[in-house]
Amino acid sequence: MSNDRLTTLLDEYADLEKRMEDPSIHADQALVRRIGRRFAELAPLNTAHQELEAARADLAAARELAAEDPSFASEVEAVAAVLPALEEKLGEMLMPRDPNDAKDVIVEIKAGEGGQESALFASDLLRMYSRYAERRGWIVEVIDSQESDLGGVKDISVAVKTKGVPEGGHGVWSRMKWEGGVHRVQRVPVTESQGRIHTSAAGVLVLPEAEDVEIHIEPGDLRIDVYRSSGPGGQSVNTTDSAVRITHLPTGTVVSCQNEKSQLQNKESAMRILRSRLLAQAQEAADAVAGDARKAQVRTVDRSERVRTYNFPQNRITDHRIGYTAYNLDLVLGGELDGVLDALAEADRAARLAGDTELTRR
């Protein structure tokens, strides 16, 4: 256990506690949110440390009593028996964690191979995540969407947010970061008259939502184009040029939004997505320098990598990264994602304890 790291984090916790008691910080709500999230993230560590120190004090007291009266020897053994578990718990908390775990996310779902069937599957994924968010008490906000002719979605971006400060610093990213990649479906499409099983896919990108202070964008680095919004089949759905396309010239990153009726609202939505994409790119570059392949994979979401298969005939879901298979596809699509997400989180925890950084590429 790193005593220096423990001391540093406990000092940070105490400092944050004092800052939260200062009425002057409440004039800056963004600052209040950042401090609150970090405080909530460190609170379990502080509690675990207090529990361990209390157990150590109890052990010292029991030993003093046993020195005077041997009948207290069993109490010494009982108190000493709980120390290893408390030390292990605190040691795990001291391991470096994903700095984005407390963040909200932006989820982008894009139809891929399979035409209309892929768009319908993309809408199924959106429904699955929306129902999972509802179970967790999260808020889902549609930022931009393009529907297909049959009621599916070609491309959709949604923000998924916690209500208030996430408990223990476990925000939406801490759960949803596993979802990035290619999701493959095997089923009989509604458009298939012969009853044959088809395979199609949709891509999912999960980005930690960036705050203004994290990513500074120079206005001169942006090219902003406006155009008329279009709906399924390409028909115009607006009589004004309210859709916005923003190009970040230094990186070539392009973001388009047309969901809102006003040009200003679409620009604000596009900037939210752009900031999050640029934050992900910056973190990817930092991880590459540090040689951390696991984090780079999670953040960049290589769309060529198939992460999960949804097999309707067998009611089976398979996560290929960890070899997870369950025959409850109907429940998973209904929002019961905790089984597979818990398995991914546990596999990641085991890999980190073993010093393995390549978990999700297996």
Side-chain angles (χ1 to χ4, degrees), residues 85 97 111 113 121 144 178 231 237 251 288 317:
R97 62 183 292 178
E113 300 173 4
F121 177 52
D144 192 54
W178 314 114
V237 295
T251 63
I317 178 171

Side-chain angles (χ1 to χ4, degrees), residues 163-181:
K163 296 178 181 178
V165 176
E167 184 177 352
H170 298 293
V172 182
W173 173 260
S174 70
R175 300 296 286 173
M176 292 291 290
K177 61 185 173 184
W178 314 114
E179 292 306 292

Side-chain angles (χ1 to χ4, degrees), residues 5-24:
R5 177 169 169 77
L6 175 61
T7 300
T8 299
L9 293 176
L10 291 176
D11 287 346
E12 183 184 357
Y13 177 84
D15 179 64
L16 290 171
E17 191 171 32
K18 290 180 181 178
R19 294 184 69 185
M20 290 179 67
E21 294 172 354
D22 182 358
S24 65

Side-chain angles (χ1 to χ4, degrees), residues 36-37 39-44 97 101-102 136 138 162-171 174:
R37 284 180 176 177
F39 182 79
E41 186 177 332
L42 292 177
R97 62 183 292 178
D101 272 352
R136 304 284 298 195
W138 296 339
T162 56
K163 296 178 181 178
V165 176
E167 184 177 352
H170 298 293
S174 70

Side-chain angles (χ1 to χ4, degrees), residues 97-213:
R97 62 183 292 178
D98 189 327
N100 290 318
D101 272 352
K103 289 183 179 291
D104 297 328
V105 305
I106 290 177
V107 180
E108 299 181 34
I109 306 173
K110 297 180 182 293
E113 300 173 4
Q116 290 289 350
E117 165 62 7
S118 176
L120 290 171
F121 177 52
S123 68
D124 290 338
L125 292 176
L126 173 64
R127 190 177 306 109
M128 176 181 74
Y129 293 137
S130 298
R131 289 176 176 173
Y132 180 65
E134 183 179 353
R135 290 173 179 270
R136 304 284 298 195
W138 296 339
I139 301 168
V140 177
E141 171 196 353
V142 176
I143 298 176
D144 192 54
S145 66
Q146 296 181 43
E147 297 181 357
S148 69
D149 293 330
L150 296 182
V153 291
K154 296 179 181 177
D155 190 346
I156 189 164
S157 298
V158 298
V160 186
K161 304 177 286 187
T162 56
K163 296 178 181 178
V165 176
E167 184 177 352
H170 298 293
V172 182
W173 173 260
S174 70
R175 300 296 286 173
M176 292 291 290
K177 61 185 173 184
W178 314 114
E179 292 306 292
V182 173
H183 294 241
R184 186 178 68 169
V185 63
Q186 296 171 327
R187 65 183 177 188
V188 178
V190 294
T191 55
E192 170 58 54
S193 59
Q194 304 296 319
R196 293 173 296 187
I197 297 173
H198 287 228
T199 298
S200 59
V204 177
L205 180 65
V206 183
L207 301 169
E209 182 156 13
E211 298 181 21
D212 291 346
V213 295

Side-chain angles (χ1 to χ4, degrees), residues 269-283:
S269 295
M271 287 298 295
R272 285 177 68 183
I273 297 174
L274 178 62
R275 278 193 296 268
S276 295
R277 287 189 184 176
L278 293 179
L279 176 62
Q281 290 174 16
Q283 290 173 333

